Every structure is written in C-alpha cells, then in structure tokens.
Amino acid sequence: MQLIGKMWSRYSFFEKSGLPNELASRGFTEDVQIPGYLYREDGMKLWNAIGGFATDFVDEVFDSDEAVASDTVVQEWARETTDPEKGAVNGFPTSFEDKETVANVLQTLMWMSSGLHAAVNFPQYNEYGYVPHKSLHLRADLSTMPKDDAEIRDWMFENMFPHIRTDDDWLKESSALGLTASGPAAIASLQTVRLLTLPSKNCIDNLSEKFEDVGTEAYDKFLKNLNVISEEIEARNDEAEKANKAPYNYLNPSNVPASIDI
C-alpha cells in the first residue's frame, strides 16, 4: 500500500497515462532509434487512431466549445473525478471548456483500457506459460529471509528462482505464498495466467453495433484506420516468421479488447 500511495502521489493523468508522454518520460521518444521496439511502433499507430476517433466522436456530439462548457453532465464528471474525496485523479481536468480537452481525455481513457492493457496483460501467458520462467514463484515465506546481506543472495536463488531439473518435480511443488495452501502451485499459477490472458470477444474492431445511434460516422472511419493497422502488423509478422523471428501481435486491433473485461 505504501508503494501504491507513493506512486499515486506522483501520478498525473495525461503525463503518466498518455502514450507519447509516458514513452518520453522513459526516454523513448519516436526520434530515438530502437529497432524492434514494436510496443512503441504499434502503440503509436493505435494511439493516433484512437485520438482521431475521439475527436470525430466529440465533434458529432458537441457543436461547439460553448456546448461543452454548458453541459452539466460533463462538468460533473470533471468535478467528481478530481474531487479529493471521490475520484482524486491528479492531472484530470477540473472542468471542460472545449471539445479538444474532452477528446484528449477520451483518447487517454480508451488507450488505457484497450491498447495499454493488451500490451501489458496478454504477453503474460507466452512468458509465464512455461512456469520455470516465473521467478516470482516463492518456495519459502519471506519471514525466513536471512537478515545478513551476505546470505540474502543465496536465499533468493534457492527460494525465488526456478530450479532447472530433468524431471517434473517442480510442477508438484507447493508455494507458501501460492494461490493454494497446498497442491501444485505451479499448475495453479499456470491456470491463472491462462485465464487472465483469454482473448476478448469484444475487440475494438468489432463494435459497430455499439455505435448505431451515436458516433456511427466516427466509428466507421476509425474501423477503416484499424483495418489498415491490422494489415500492416500481420504483414510484418509474416515476414518475421519467415525470418524465424518472434511475431508481435498484441496490439493488432483484432486482438485489442475494447475494455478491461477479464
């Protein structure tokens, strides 16, 4: 809780959750050449497409900046989200005075719950599906960790890192801090990671029925952009597989959930 509190005290909505600002905060602006940084490459395509959709959608709903400023529901959203006793989201607008700000907020929110979530969540199974990769599997309670700094390293390797074995004993191990009090904690961990990464049935490229009354034109345009992104990613992945390289498909719009729907 202390770590979460410390992070939250430094959090700023646009700075920490908007993809370009978040990348820049880590030194990964687009002018920095990092071959194979496909999270940035695909993420920025998706971020820009979402931004265009947000702008077009807001333009369909609001005729002018004055309409935004006079909308009581939108203003209450801003007040409640920034109220220290309610949402308490630092950096979120305390009021909305123009369409651009509304669109920027929607872009950021849609990115967080779709592209960002997909990029962070879905690689878990590929990484941890082979359970020995998961170094966070504890075989001893942290209270047994030595106090002597000279002994901590050996204790961590013995109790926190996967063992390389030629048999299946590691599958049968129980973890003092595992998901189950006894039994094969490795299997339980594997099942949980698989559950968390099941594909969504509601991805950002199959939502036409959700925009039949409002935002129809905006979504149709968005869908065309998403189809282009999908084609580019799939073509690149085909070439990667021919070159015996790993594909990166986590931000393919056909795989990106419309929300965090685990």
Side-chain angles (χ1 to χ4, degrees):
M1 292 301 295
Q2 291 178 337
L3 288 174
I4 294 173
K6 186 175 183 179
M7 184 283 295
W8 191 245
S9 68
R10 300 174 178 176
Y11 178 79
S12 178
F13 179 72
F14 288 117
E15 293 301 316
K16 297 297 185 181
S17 296
L19 179 59
N21 290 332
E22 193 278 325
L23 288 170
S25 72
R26 295 186 288 115
F28 295 128
T29 51
E30 290 190 272
D31 60 311
V32 177
Q33 299 300 312
I34 306 179
Y37 191 14
L38 301 181
Y39 166 69
R40 180 181 66 180
E41 180 179 323
D42 296 349
M44 285 304 302
K45 291 178 181 179
L46 198 55
W47 167 265
N48 291 330
I50 291 173
F53 170 56
T55 298
D56 292 339
F57 184 85
V58 170
D59 284 341
E60 284 192 43
V61 175
F62 294 104
D63 294 330
S64 63
D65 292 340
E66 290 74 19
V68 170
S70 62
D71 190 295
T72 57
V73 174
V74 171
Q75 300 307 328
E76 180 57 29
W77 176 33
R79 285 192 293 270
E80 183 171 326
T81 304
T82 56
D83 188 330
E85 302 300 321
K86 295 181 179 179
V89 178
N90 293 330
F92 195 91
T94 56
S95 65
F96 290 104
E97 305 300 329
D98 53 68
K99 295 194 296 181
E100 182 179 2
T101 303
V102 176
N104 289 342
V105 168
L106 292 179
Q107 178 185 24
T108 304
L109 289 174
M110 286 189 282
W111 162 252
M112 291 169 64
S113 59
S114 61
L116 176 59
H117 174 66
V120 173
N121 182 69
F122 290 122
Q124 289 184 93
Y125 186 72
N126 289 346
E127 177 66 22
Y128 296 146
Y130 181 59
V131 183
H133 280 172
K134 191 171 184 181
S135 59
L136 299 179
H137 174 63
L138 294 179
R139 290 180 290 273
D141 194 287
L142 285 174
S143 64
T144 65
M145 181 182 290
K147 304 298 182 183
D148 187 343
D149 290 344
E151 300 177 6
I152 289 179
R153 185 174 184 273
D154 288 340
W155 185 93
M156 291 179 65
F157 273 97
E158 176 63 27
N159 295 293
M160 300 178 71
F161 283 68
H163 287 169
I164 299 177
R165 299 179 179 173
T166 57
D167 55 35
D168 293 332
D169 287 347
W170 62 272
L171 284 172
K172 304 171 185 177
E173 289 182 344
S174 296
S175 171
L177 298 180
L179 298 172
T180 55
S182 61
I187 294 296
S189 176
L190 176 60
Q191 291 172 335
T192 300
V193 172
R194 180 58 182 145
L195 176 64
L196 291 174
T197 57
L198 287 175
S200 174
K201 295 181 179 179
N202 299 296
C203 291
I204 58 177
D205 67 345
N206 62 7
L207 301 174
S208 295
E209 63 180 24
K210 306 295 183 182
F211 296 94
E212 292 178 348
D213 298 324
V214 180
T216 304
E217 293 183 11
Y219 184 75
D220 286 346
K221 180 179 176 181
F222 181 47
L223 186 56
K224 291 177 181 178
N225 290 331
L226 294 181
N227 289 336
V228 171
I229 295 173
S230 286
E231 291 173 359
E232 292 175 347
I233 291 175
E234 289 166 6
R236 183 195 65 212
N237 286 341
D238 287 342
E239 292 300 315
E241 291 182 353
K242 291 177 183 178
N244 200 30
K245 297 180 180 179
Y248 186 85
N249 208 38
Y250 303 118
L251 289 177
N252 186 330
S254 62
N255 294 329
V256 175
S259 66
I260 301 174
D261 58 355
I262 297 172

